[in-house]
């Protein structure tokens, strides 16, 4: 049915998202302002105005390129400030939020001004705050609120935002957190950064006092039978979360060398660093792990160590090109040995293709790579088992000599973090150059 | 019907709001508020002193300490400033630092900027509908202002499933107004089209518009069809749907019928953000969305006769003549032997040059109708 279809279609429509959060960084700024105000411990307007002027807060509206954008930004700011006036905060914090709202409302460069949207519940809370201000004779705060009321700064609404299938959805990923400040962001840190714990504590206190009231007017503690929740639930959860966060940090650190090494290798090939997502990192790590699972040749055939390659066919072709000079071989081999430690060769391949020239590394890797056509490099599985044993033996025998045979570091390699080579590999490399020329010819022959 | 659409899972849809309840609860909440009728450019000392129950000198002192002037700081953006004012370098505000990188990003990438401005397109800007002559009404007797979005219709047989939802018009209505007031304010070219095939004589004088012949229409809001039966020839367009719905009571739920001309917005219970339907001319189907329900503010016009106020009219790219690619299309032809596409759009001169000989005889078979471009003919 047409009618039904039309409505259904509209319902499945995706709400548009702003590519980047318009009020990015505002949260950081107002938190700074209010925390400085909280330090003073007073509710006087002069103190607030002093900090406001020191921070040059009115400049916050600079650099908005269109009227609509300015409106959006102003409404974001006002709603953020208005949320801070909730009754769960202390009076000092609420008054600070009121001053912030007052400042933002009157300083916004719009005519007519963007209004503060309040629902009935929020309005009742505001009136409550006003009655406290009257009671405690805070004339300056009350004066500010009154000025806003006279200007009709509040819009009495049914919903906190305007809604609709085309309404702009705030990009919550960047919600208020400055991009350069959110180095390590996790769900947990978000949880601890928001005021959810304070809210929980406030609710819990209310709950406890209600339970106490049930026991009678003079009861100091709630009845034992009502103890179903931990006494300091917010503190307990907070501690658990903090423990988990430290755990996570430790795990993160354990991963770090692996990541940094990888990044470094990429750095060698990419002049401009492309930021990669964590998913890409993970995939890279998995691939690397998979690629490095290559059978190791036995001791007597170690000059033909199979290397991790992603596209053996192409490598075999490249190997036929007679560009390699025998004199270059040793250093290239060393380089090759190192780079395969940390990175699969397919990366090198793609880079070569991109740049339209063959890097020495690619050539080297392809030459000793394990192309399927190259019969000599294909080994039965039983040999793998042997080869492991052989490798161990080799490492044991070469341990004594290893410090003396430091290979020349490749030119493009960075100084700082060189992967430590295993002694057995050093041994392999030393011996490689001598028998180099033979396999090359063989690969040539096999390709033909 | 809500269960069919799974309304509860939609992030942009609110719970049902009864407008009369909304109005009454706010009126009672604002009853204690001091009735502030006079707004002066400077602080009204006498009034504030009365409300705060302090002396005038105290208020004057407060004004010097807490007034708006204390907030100002050099270099801030002024109201009529060029919006792209420069960002000062010596600032500790993180917002500005991020803003700077954002502006650089926009300067470097046209795609990004384009995408960004596309998202702003449908967003409202601040708007003052009040004019100096309008009188001020106290808070307690103010009405509800409802913002309504009208979307472009889905035309004909084409699959509307993958067509983007395009905003056409935005209106503001008052709670005390009838649904018919909204209907009359909605502009659609389907209403002003000429219902005559004119290929034989393009100069044929036609005075009747589609609206005169087919005056029926209905709103579908929360399971109720509100039929416009003011005109004696108006039909109940919803009867077919209701008979169909009656056969599936479990899936669709109850479908009621009411008269559009008898219903005020105050009688409705609306879900803010949920698309409802407006159907007229038999099958011209517009989605309508109530985006905001709020009390009247001082910036809103208090003149009831001005409502519904059109707050924005989203412009559409005009349809040009396919021959000259220069003038607006005035004619549309179907199954045209002289043209490879159907429908084909022509301006007046090209249409006559191509389809008729010097004596005004039709060259080959085709059907032609007058075409009205929304941007060209409607305000």
């Amino acid at each position: 049915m047409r009618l039904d279809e039309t409505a259904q279609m509209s319902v499945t429509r995706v709400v548009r998202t702003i590519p980047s959060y318009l009020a990015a960084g505002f949260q950081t700024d107002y938190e700074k302002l209010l925390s400085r105000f909280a330090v003073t411990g007073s509710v006087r307007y002069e103190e607030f105005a002093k900090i406001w002027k020191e921070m040059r807060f009115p400049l916050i509206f600079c650099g908005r390129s269109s009227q609509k954008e300015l409106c959006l930004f102003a409404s974001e700011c006002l709603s953020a400030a208005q949320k801070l006036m909730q009754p769960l905060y202390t009076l000092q914090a609420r008054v600070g939020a009121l001053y912030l709202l007052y400042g933002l409302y009157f300083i916004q460069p719009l005519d007519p001004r963007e209004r503060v949207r309040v629902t009935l519940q929020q309005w009742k809370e505001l009136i409550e705050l006003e009655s406290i201000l009257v009671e405690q004779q805070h004339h300056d705060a009350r004066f500010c609120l009154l000025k806003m009321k006279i200007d009709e700064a509040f819009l009495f609404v049914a919903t906190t935002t305007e809604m609709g299938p085309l309404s702009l959805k705030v990009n919550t990923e960047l919600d208020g957190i400055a991009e350069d400040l959110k180095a390590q962001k996790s769900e947990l840190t978000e949880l601890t950064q928001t005021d959810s714990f304070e809210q929980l504590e406030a609710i819990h206190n209310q709950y406890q006092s209600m339970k106490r009231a049930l026991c009678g007017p003079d009861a100091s503690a709630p009845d034992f039978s009502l103890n179903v929740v931990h006494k300091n639930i917010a503190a307990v959860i907070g501690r658990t979360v903090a423990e988990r966060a430290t755990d996570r940090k430790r795990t993160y650190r354990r991963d770090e060398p692996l990541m940094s090494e990888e990044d470094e290798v990429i750095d060698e090939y990419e002049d401009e660093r492309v930021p990669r997502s964590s998913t890409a990192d993970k995939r890279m790590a998995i691939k690397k792990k998979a690629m490095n699972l290559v059978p190791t040749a036995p001791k007597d055939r170690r000059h033909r160590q199979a290397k991790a390659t992603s596209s053996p066919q192409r490598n075999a072709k490249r190997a036929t090109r007679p560009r390699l000079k025998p004199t270059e071989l040793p250093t290239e081999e060393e380089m090759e040995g190192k780079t395969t430690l940390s990175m699969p060769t397919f990366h090198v391949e793609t880079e070569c293709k991109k740049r339209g020239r063959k890097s020495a590394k690619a050539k080297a890797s392809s030459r000793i790579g394990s192309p399927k056509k190259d019969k000599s490099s294909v080994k039965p599985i039983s040999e793998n088992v042997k080869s492991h044993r052989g490798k161990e033996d080799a490492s044991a025998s070469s341990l004594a000599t290893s410090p003396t045979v430091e290979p020349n570091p490749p030119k493009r390699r960075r100084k700082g973090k060189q992967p430590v080579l295993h002694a057995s590999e050093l041994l392999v490399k030393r011996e490689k150059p001598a028998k180099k020329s033979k396999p090359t010819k063989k690969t040539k022959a096999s390709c033909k | 019907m809500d269960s069919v659409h799974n309304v509860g899972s939609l992030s942009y849809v609110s719970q049902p709001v009864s407008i009369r309840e909304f109005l009454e609860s706010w009126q009672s909440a604002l009853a204690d508020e001091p009735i502030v009728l006079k707004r002066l450019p400077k602080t009204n000392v006498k009034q504030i002193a009365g409300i705060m129950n302090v002396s005038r000198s105290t208020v004057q002192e407060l004004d010097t300490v807490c007034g708006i002037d204390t907030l100002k700081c050099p270099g801030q953006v002024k109201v009529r400033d060029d919006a792209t004012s420069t960002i000062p370098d010596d600032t500790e505000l993180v917002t500005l630092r991020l803003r700077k990188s954002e502006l650089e990003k926009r300067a470097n990438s046209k795609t990004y900027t384009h995408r960004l401005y596309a998202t702003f397109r449908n967003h409202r800007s601040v708007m003052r509908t009040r004019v100096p002559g309008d009188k001020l009404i106290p808070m307690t007797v103010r009405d509800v202002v409802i913002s309504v979005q009208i979307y472009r219709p889905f035309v004909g047989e084409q699959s509307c499933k993958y067509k983007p939802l395009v905003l056409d018009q935005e209106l503001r209505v008052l709670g005390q107004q009838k649904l018919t007031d909204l209907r009359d304010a909605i502009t659609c070219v389907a209403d002003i089209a000429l219902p005559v095939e004119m290929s034989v004589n393009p100069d044929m004088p036609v005075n009747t518009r589609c609206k005169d012949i087919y005056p029926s229409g209905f709103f579908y809001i929360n399971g109720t069809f509100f039929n416009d039966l003011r005109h004696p020839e108006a039909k109940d367009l919803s009867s077919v749907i209701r008979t169909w719905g009656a056969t599936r009571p479990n899936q669709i739920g109850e479908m009621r019928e009411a008269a559009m001309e008898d219903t005020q917005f105050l009688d409705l219970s609306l879900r803010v953000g949920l698309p409802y339907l407006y159907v007229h001319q038999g099958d011209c189907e517009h989605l309508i969305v109530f985006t905001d329900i709020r009390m009247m503010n001082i910036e809103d016009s208090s003149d009831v006769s001005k409502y519904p106020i059109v707050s924005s009219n989203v412009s559409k790219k005009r349809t040009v003549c396919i021959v000259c690619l220069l003038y607006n299309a005035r004619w549309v032809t179907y199954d045209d032997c002289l043209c490879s596409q159907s429908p084909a759009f022509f301006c007046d001169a090209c249409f006559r040059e191509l389809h008729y000989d010097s004596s005004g005889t039709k060259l080959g078979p085709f059907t032609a109708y007058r075409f009205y471009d929304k941007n060209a003919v409607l305000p």
Side-chain angles (χ1 to χ4, degrees), chain B residues 298-318:
Chain B
I298 195 133
E299 305 295 355
D300 294 314
S301 172
S302 57
D303 187 355
V304 179
S305 63
K306 277 187 185 168
Y307 286 88
I309 292 174
V310 179
S311 53
S312 84
N313 232 334
V314 177
S315 60
K316 175 183 167 288
K317 204 175 174 188
R318 70 191 179 115

PDB file of all heavy atoms in Angstrom, chain B residues 298-318:
ATOM      1  N   ILE B 298       8.808  36.314  23.169  1.00  0.00           N
ATOM      2  CA  ILE B 298       8.682  37.742  22.865  1.00  0.00           C
ATOM      3  C   ILE B 298       9.074  38.063  21.426  1.00  0.00           C
ATOM      4  O   ILE B 298       8.618  39.043  20.848  1.00  0.00           O
ATOM      5  CB  ILE B 298       9.514  38.575  23.862  1.00  0.00           C
ATOM      6  CG1 ILE B 298       9.120  40.046  23.794  1.00  0.00           C
ATOM      7  CG2 ILE B 298      10.995  38.447  23.591  1.00  0.00           C
ATOM      8  CD1 ILE B 298       8.902  40.634  25.121  1.00  0.00           C
ATOM      9  N   GLU B 299       9.871  37.197  20.801  1.00  0.00           N
ATOM     10  CA  GLU B 299      10.270  37.443  19.414  1.00  0.00           C
ATOM     11  C   GLU B 299       9.201  36.991  18.419  1.00  0.00           C
ATOM     12  O   GLU B 299       9.312  37.264  17.230  1.00  0.00           O
ATOM     13  CB  GLU B 299      11.592  36.735  19.096  1.00  0.00           C
ATOM     14  CG  GLU B 299      12.749  37.063  20.012  1.00  0.00           C
ATOM     15  CD  GLU B 299      13.192  38.511  19.928  1.00  0.00           C
ATOM     16  OE1 GLU B 299      12.653  39.249  19.082  1.00  0.00           O
ATOM     17  OE2 GLU B 299      14.042  38.919  20.725  1.00  0.00           O
ATOM     18  N   ASP B 300       8.196  36.256  18.902  1.00  0.00           N
ATOM     19  CA  ASP B 300       7.134  35.801  18.007  1.00  0.00           C
ATOM     20  C   ASP B 300       6.065  36.879  17.894  1.00  0.00           C
ATOM     21  O   ASP B 300       5.760  37.565  18.865  1.00  0.00           O
ATOM     22  CB  ASP B 300       6.499  34.518  18.552  1.00  0.00           C
ATOM     23  CG  ASP B 300       7.456  33.366  18.542  1.00  0.00           C
ATOM     24  OD1 ASP B 300       8.122  33.182  17.510  1.00  0.00           O
ATOM     25  OD2 ASP B 300       7.556  32.654  19.563  1.00  0.00           O
ATOM     26  N   SER B 301       5.497  36.948  16.720  1.00  0.00           N
ATOM     27  CA  SER B 301       4.415  37.903  16.510  1.00  0.00           C
ATOM     28  C   SER B 301       3.210  37.474  17.332  1.00  0.00           C
ATOM     29  O   SER B 301       2.868  36.296  17.384  1.00  0.00           O
ATOM     30  CB  SER B 301       4.066  37.933  15.030  1.00  0.00           C
ATOM     31  OG  SER B 301       2.915  38.705  14.852  1.00  0.00           O
ATOM     32  N   SER B 302       2.590  38.444  17.979  1.00  0.00           N
ATOM     33  CA  SER B 302       1.412  38.111  18.778  1.00  0.00           C
ATOM     34  C   SER B 302       0.133  38.269  17.960  1.00  0.00           C
ATOM     35  O   SER B 302      -0.966  38.050  18.475  1.00  0.00           O
ATOM     36  CB  SER B 302       1.369  38.994  20.023  1.00  0.00           C
ATOM     37  OG  SER B 302       1.380  40.345  19.619  1.00  0.00           O
ATOM     38  N   ASP B 303       0.278  38.636  16.705  1.00  0.00           N
ATOM     39  CA  ASP B 303      -0.880  38.842  15.841  1.00  0.00           C
ATOM     40  C   ASP B 303      -1.341  37.486  15.288  1.00  0.00           C
ATOM     41  O   ASP B 303      -0.654  36.873  14.475  1.00  0.00           O
ATOM     42  CB  ASP B 303      -0.470  39.786  14.702  1.00  0.00           C
ATOM     43  CG  ASP B 303      -1.651  40.186  13.865  1.00  0.00           C
ATOM     44  OD1 ASP B 303      -2.750  39.656  14.119  1.00  0.00           O
ATOM     45  OD2 ASP B 303      -1.483  41.025  12.953  1.00  0.00           O
ATOM     46  N   VAL B 304      -2.487  37.040  15.750  1.00  0.00           N
ATOM     47  CA  VAL B 304      -2.967  35.701  15.387  1.00  0.00           C
ATOM     48  C   VAL B 304      -3.227  35.602  13.886  1.00  0.00           C
ATOM     49  O   VAL B 304      -3.011  34.561  13.264  1.00  0.00           O
ATOM     50  CB  VAL B 304      -4.251  35.370  16.183  1.00  0.00           C
ATOM     51  CG1 VAL B 304      -4.769  34.007  15.814  1.00  0.00           C
ATOM     52  CG2 VAL B 304      -3.976  35.447  17.661  1.00  0.00           C
ATOM     53  N   SER B 305      -3.665  36.719  13.289  1.00  0.00           N
ATOM     54  CA  SER B 305      -4.028  36.666  11.870  1.00  0.00           C
ATOM     55  C   SER B 305      -2.821  36.423  10.970  1.00  0.00           C
ATOM     56  O   SER B 305      -2.980  36.066   9.811  1.00  0.00           O
ATOM     57  CB  SER B 305      -4.719  37.966  11.467  1.00  0.00           C
ATOM     58  OG  SER B 305      -3.800  39.029  11.621  1.00  0.00           O
ATOM     59  N   LYS B 306      -1.614  36.630  11.507  1.00  0.00           N
ATOM     60  CA  LYS B 306      -0.425  36.412  10.678  1.00  0.00           C
ATOM     61  C   LYS B 306      -0.069  34.945  10.539  1.00  0.00           C
ATOM     62  O   LYS B 306       0.651  34.566   9.635  1.00  0.00           O
ATOM     63  CB  LYS B 306       0.761  37.136  11.300  1.00  0.00           C
ATOM     64  CG  LYS B 306       0.836  38.587  10.958  1.00  0.00           C
ATOM     65  CD  LYS B 306       2.129  39.136  11.480  1.00  0.00           C
ATOM     66  CE  LYS B 306       2.185  40.625  11.252  1.00  0.00           C
ATOM     67  NZ  LYS B 306       3.298  41.208  12.004  1.00  0.00           N
ATOM     68  N   TYR B 307      -0.585  34.153  11.438  1.00  0.00           N
ATOM     69  CA  TYR B 307      -0.234  32.738  11.423  1.00  0.00           C
ATOM     70  C   TYR B 307      -1.130  31.992  10.443  1.00  0.00           C
ATOM     71  O   TYR B 307      -2.252  32.426  10.221  1.00  0.00           O
ATOM     72  CB  TYR B 307      -0.370  32.152  12.847  1.00  0.00           C
ATOM     73  CG  TYR B 307       0.733  32.594  13.761  1.00  0.00           C
ATOM     74  CD1 TYR B 307       0.616  33.779  14.491  1.00  0.00           C
ATOM     75  CD2 TYR B 307       1.890  31.868  13.897  1.00  0.00           C
ATOM     76  CE1 TYR B 307       1.634  34.207  15.322  1.00  0.00           C
ATOM     77  CE2 TYR B 307       2.919  32.279  14.745  1.00  0.00           C
ATOM     78  CZ  TYR B 307       2.777  33.454  15.454  1.00  0.00           C
ATOM     79  OH  TYR B 307       3.793  33.874  16.287  1.00  0.00           O
ATOM     80  N   PRO B 308      -0.708  30.897   9.844  1.00  0.00           N
ATOM     81  CA  PRO B 308       0.604  30.263   9.926  1.00  0.00           C
ATOM     82  C   PRO B 308       1.680  31.105   9.225  1.00  0.00           C
ATOM     83  O   PRO B 308       1.457  31.568   8.117  1.00  0.00           O
ATOM     84  CB  PRO B 308       0.436  28.934   9.187  1.00  0.00           C
ATOM     85  CG  PRO B 308      -1.022  28.768   8.991  1.00  0.00           C
ATOM     86  CD  PRO B 308      -1.642  30.108   9.039  1.00  0.00           C
ATOM     87  N   ILE B 309       2.795  31.260   9.891  1.00  0.00           N
ATOM     88  CA  ILE B 309       3.901  32.020   9.331  1.00  0.00           C
ATOM     89  C   ILE B 309       4.850  31.067   8.617  1.00  0.00           C
ATOM     90  O   ILE B 309       5.214  30.029   9.169  1.00  0.00           O
ATOM     91  CB  ILE B 309       4.643  32.773  10.454  1.00  0.00           C
ATOM     92  CG1 ILE B 309       3.748  33.863  11.022  1.00  0.00           C
ATOM     93  CG2 ILE B 309       5.957  33.349   9.954  1.00  0.00           C
ATOM     94  CD1 ILE B 309       4.321  34.554  12.224  1.00  0.00           C
ATOM     95  N   VAL B 310       5.215  31.432   7.396  1.00  0.00           N
ATOM     96  CA  VAL B 310       6.184  30.614   6.676  1.00  0.00           C
ATOM     97  C   VAL B 310       7.569  31.003   7.178  1.00  0.00           C
ATOM     98  O   VAL B 310       8.025  32.124   6.975  1.00  0.00           O
ATOM     99  CB  VAL B 310       6.088  30.832   5.159  1.00  0.00           C
ATOM    100  CG1 VAL B 310       7.115  29.979   4.432  1.00  0.00           C
ATOM    101  CG2 VAL B 310       4.710  30.499   4.664  1.00  0.00           C
ATOM    102  N   SER B 311       8.229  30.100   7.869  1.00  0.00           N
ATOM    103  CA  SER B 311       9.540  30.463   8.417  1.00  0.00           C
ATOM    104  C   SER B 311      10.663  30.158   7.434  1.00  0.00           C
ATOM    105  O   SER B 311      11.706  30.792   7.485  1.00  0.00           O
ATOM    106  CB  SER B 311       9.784  29.776   9.746  1.00  0.00           C
ATOM    107  OG  SER B 311       9.601  28.399   9.631  1.00  0.00           O
ATOM    108  N   SER B 312      10.468  29.203   6.559  1.00  0.00           N
ATOM    109  CA  SER B 312      11.469  29.042   5.510  1.00  0.00           C
ATOM    110  C   SER B 312      10.856  28.310   4.329  1.00  0.00           C
ATOM    111  O   SER B 312       9.939  27.518   4.477  1.00  0.00           O
ATOM    112  CB  SER B 312      12.691  28.289   6.012  1.00  0.00           C
ATOM    113  OG  SER B 312      12.481  26.916   5.936  1.00  0.00           O
ATOM    114  N   ASN B 313      11.322  28.659   3.158  1.00  0.00           N
ATOM    115  CA  ASN B 313      10.849  28.060   1.921  1.00  0.00           C
ATOM    116  C   ASN B 313      12.080  27.553   1.211  1.00  0.00           C
ATOM    117  O   ASN B 313      12.859  28.327   0.670  1.00  0.00           O
ATOM    118  CB  ASN B 313      10.163  29.136   1.079  1.00  0.00           C
ATOM    119  CG  ASN B 313       8.797  28.700   0.641  1.00  0.00           C
ATOM    120  OD1 ASN B 313       8.523  27.518   0.528  1.00  0.00           O
ATOM    121  ND2 ASN B 313       7.927  29.665   0.399  1.00  0.00           N
ATOM    122  N   VAL B 314      12.313  26.279   1.253  1.00  0.00           N
ATOM    123  CA  VAL B 314      13.562  25.766   0.673  1.00  0.00           C
ATOM    124  C   VAL B 314      13.475  25.829  -0.844  1.00  0.00           C
ATOM    125  O   VAL B 314      12.519  25.340  -1.439  1.00  0.00           O
ATOM    126  CB  VAL B 314      13.809  24.320   1.141  1.00  0.00           C
ATOM    127  CG1 VAL B 314      15.052  23.750   0.499  1.00  0.00           C
ATOM    128  CG2 VAL B 314      13.939  24.273   2.639  1.00  0.00           C
ATOM    129  N   SER B 315      14.457  26.467  -1.444  1.00  0.00           N
ATOM    130  CA  SER B 315      14.383  26.654  -2.891  1.00  0.00           C
ATOM    131  C   SER B 315      14.808  25.382  -3.605  1.00  0.00           C
ATOM    132  O   SER B 315      15.630  24.613  -3.121  1.00  0.00           O
ATOM    133  CB  SER B 315      15.267  27.814  -3.321  1.00  0.00           C
ATOM    134  OG  SER B 315      16.587  27.532  -2.958  1.00  0.00           O
ATOM    135  N   LYS B 316      14.244  25.211  -4.777  1.00  0.00           N
ATOM    136  CA  LYS B 316      14.488  24.011  -5.562  1.00  0.00           C
ATOM    137  C   LYS B 316      15.212  24.460  -6.820  1.00  0.00           C
ATOM    138  O   LYS B 316      15.038  25.576  -7.303  1.00  0.00           O
ATOM    139  CB  LYS B 316      13.130  23.426  -5.900  1.00  0.00           C
ATOM    140  CG  LYS B 316      13.110  22.239  -6.805  1.00  0.00           C
ATOM    141  CD  LYS B 316      11.657  21.868  -7.062  1.00  0.00           C
ATOM    142  CE  LYS B 316      11.516  20.886  -8.206  1.00  0.00           C
ATOM    143  NZ  LYS B 316      11.759  21.455  -9.521  1.00  0.00           N
ATOM    144  N   LYS B 317      16.023  23.587  -7.358  1.00  0.00           N
ATOM    145  CA  LYS B 317      16.691  23.920  -8.612  1.00  0.00           C
ATOM    146  C   LYS B 317      15.638  23.988  -9.701  1.00  0.00           C
ATOM    147  O   LYS B 317      14.796  23.090  -9.812  1.00  0.00           O
ATOM    148  CB  LYS B 317      17.720  22.840  -8.929  1.00  0.00           C
ATOM    149  CG  LYS B 317      18.806  23.318  -9.822  1.00  0.00           C
ATOM    150  CD  LYS B 317      19.853  22.239  -9.987  1.00  0.00           C
ATOM    151  CE  LYS B 317      20.880  22.684 -11.002  1.00  0.00           C
ATOM    152  NZ  LYS B 317      21.800  21.615 -11.332  1.00  0.00           N
ATOM    153  N   ARG B 318      15.670  25.031 -10.494  1.00  0.00           N
ATOM    154  CA  ARG B 318      14.594  25.207 -11.473  1.00  0.00           C
ATOM    155  C   ARG B 318      14.721  24.186 -12.591  1.00  0.00           C
ATOM    156  O   ARG B 318      15.815  23.674 -12.875  1.00  0.00           O
ATOM    157  CB  ARG B 318      14.630  26.618 -12.053  1.00  0.00           C
ATOM    158  CG  ARG B 318      15.806  26.845 -12.954  1.00  0.00           C
ATOM    159  CD  ARG B 318      15.984  28.300 -13.297  1.00  0.00           C
ATOM    160  NE  ARG B 318      17.154  28.438 -14.146  1.00  0.00           N
ATOM    161  CZ  ARG B 318      17.102  28.845 -15.396  1.00  0.00           C
ATOM    162  NH1 ARG B 318      15.956  29.179 -15.945  1.00  0.00           N
ATOM    163  NH2 ARG B 318      18.206  28.925 -16.113  1.00  0.00           N
TER     164      ARG B 318
END
